[in-house]
Amino acid sequence: MAFRWTNTLTAADVTPKAAYLNRRQILAASVGLGAIGLTGTGAAAQTAEELEPNTLEEITSYNNFYEFGTGKEDPKRNAHMLDTTDWKITVDGMVDNPGEYALADLLEGLTVEDRIYRFRCVEAWSMVIPWNGIEFADILEKAGVQETAKYVAFETAVQPENMIGVQRGVLDFPYVEGLRLDEAMHPLTIMATGIYGEPIANQNGAPIRLVVPWKYGFKSIKSIVRITLTDVEPPTSWNKSQPSEYGFYSNVNPEVSHPRWSQASERRIGGGLFAPRIDTLKFNGYEEEVASLYDGMDLSVFF
Ligand code: MTE
């Protein structure tokens, strides 16, 4: 099966920065997914074979990170202000090992994998991003999730003196997000620490951000300082801001329109001014892997 977007980028579009990772290495890394039974004939296998990643330049210069402004180029301009030194993450709630962990301690002994994922923003643009990250389930295992836990809540750092968007109050900060525990434990869910083998850029959510590839991009919360296991559905920033437009689940779904625009197609960043829009795939192309998480749920109600 050939996707239209495989033709939108060629080797000539890859920046020298990106070129050091040759395509074969990237593919080999992605095929590694097969080892945990994710590929088979499914979308993840297509990910390995068909997807051409965006360039590092594209990935780091067109962003949403409202702490640093609402414009697409604001994060690149302003996120150098983010202070990532001595980063700590509080792990609390229904866990056996609560505490404030230095980032390095929390990740010690865990494997960083290469994952090329589609990334689909709710605003109907998309990229393909070669992340380096850790399966979130590995981190949860370290935390020791208690049986009563049903959800995971996440919180982004607030550094008012460094964050122009916080100073301006463009959203109710801290930015918060959440997942159901089974979504959080799914092998596709990662905590990214890098892109193209480089530490993740501040504008992409340094030093660590969530990536949930089958959900709209706003679920993938950046620059995380708190992870809380809970038994109640956690509040989420965009739902608090516009509950009729942004639900808790926010699975990519071409059949359920945003109240103000269609979600049936998307614009691939880097495709050029005249590139045709591409069809949006249910669960962003990861249907085979994740659809069973939502068995029996009406996805137009739980949007
Ligand atoms: N996380 C925080 N803390 N603040 C934000 O404004 N924006 C979200 C998500 N995570 C956001 C955030 C949205 S709307 C998107 S589409 C993605 O980050 C964008 O990720 P990227 O800039 O790395 O492409």
Side-chain angles (χ1 to χ4, degrees):
M1 179 172 184
F3 292 107
R4 266 189 276 163
W5 66 74
T6 55
N7 296 325
T8 59
L9 287 175
T10 68
D13 298 306
V14 179
T15 61
K17 189 90 181 175
Y20 81 97
L21 256 186
N22 78 42
R23 190 166 154 72
R24 207 172 292 135
Q25 274 177 310
I26 293 173
L27 297 188
S30 303
V31 167
L33 278 172
I36 50 170
L38 277 173
T39 50
T41 56
Q46 288 155 7
T47 301
E49 287 153 21
E50 316 255 3
L51 290 185
E52 190 74 51
N54 281 87
T55 65
L56 189 59
E57 175 64 22
E58 288 158 358
I59 295 166
T60 55
S61 41
Y62 188 92
N63 301 99
N64 278 329
F65 198 168
Y66 273 32
E67 286 84 340
F68 294 101
T70 54
K72 292 288 178 280
E73 292 171 12
D74 288 343
K76 182 181 184 176
R77 192 177 306 122
N78 299 325
H80 64 278
M81 295 289 287
L82 178 70
D83 182 2
T84 59
T85 49
D86 297 324
W87 198 267
K88 294 192 177 56
I89 299 185
T90 298
V91 180
D92 60 5
M94 295 168 169
V95 290
D96 293 335
N97 309 309
E100 191 187 45
Y101 292 85
L103 180 60
D105 293 341
L106 188 64
L107 304 186
E108 202 200 329
L110 305 182
T111 308
V112 178
E113 296 183 26
D114 298 334
R115 299 283 180 96
I116 302 175
Y117 284 160
R118 294 182 196 84
F119 188 86
R120 170 62 156 81
C121 178
V122 74
E123 298 162 337
W125 54 265
S126 66
M127 298 201 199
V128 176
I129 304 183
W131 304 103
N132 317 111
I134 290 147
E135 279 191 22
F136 185 51
D138 292 348
I139 295 174
L140 287 175
E141 196 181 326
K142 263 197 177 183
V145 177
Q146 295 178 346
E147 272 181 20
T148 45
K150 294 192 176 71
Y151 297 90
V152 188
F154 304 90
E155 196 177 303
T156 294
V158 182
Q159 299 174 357
E161 66 286 8
N162 299 335
M163 295 173 158
I164 196 167
V166 172
Q167 290 163 16
R168 293 178 182 160
V170 299
L171 204 61
D172 184 20
F173 296 109
Y175 194 98
V176 290
E177 258 305 335
L179 294 173
R180 230 171 47 191
L181 186 58
D182 57 347
E183 298 175 321
M185 300 278 287
H186 193 282
L188 286 173
T189 302
I190 59 167
M191 280 286 183
T193 54
I195 295 174
Y196 272 120
E198 305 255 341
I200 197 162
N202 285 1
Q203 58 265 42
N204 293 103
I208 187 163
R209 62 90 62 84
L210 187 70
V211 180
V212 194
W214 70 94
K215 292 177 179 284
Y216 292 120
F218 66 84
K219 298 292 292 181
S220 292
I221 179 173
K222 296 178 168 181
S223 306
I224 292 167
V225 293
R226 183 181 289 267
I227 299 169
T228 307
L229 277 289
T230 166
D231 59 359
V232 290
E233 188 181 286
T236 62
S237 280
W238 282 104
N239 180 257
K240 284 196 298 179
S241 165
Q242 295 281 353
S244 62
E245 299 193 350
Y246 307 105
F248 175 78
Y249 284 92
S250 291
N251 294 311
V252 175
N253 192 341
E255 295 152 24
V256 178
S257 295
H258 186 279
R260 290 182 280 133
W261 60 84
S262 163
Q263 295 291 23
S265 70
E266 63 202 49
R267 178 174 63 93
R268 175 63 47 82
I269 300 301
L273 216 51
F274 303 107
R277 292 179 72 84
I278 56 184
D279 292 341
T280 291
L281 300 172
K282 196 156 184 188
F283 296 109
N284 206 21
Y286 303 97
E287 181 169 12
E288 194 162 318
E289 288 80 10
V290 303
S292 64
L293 295 174
Y294 310 102
D295 277 349
M297 286 173 68
D298 181 342
L299 297 177
S300 64
V301 175
F302 296 97
F303 61 92

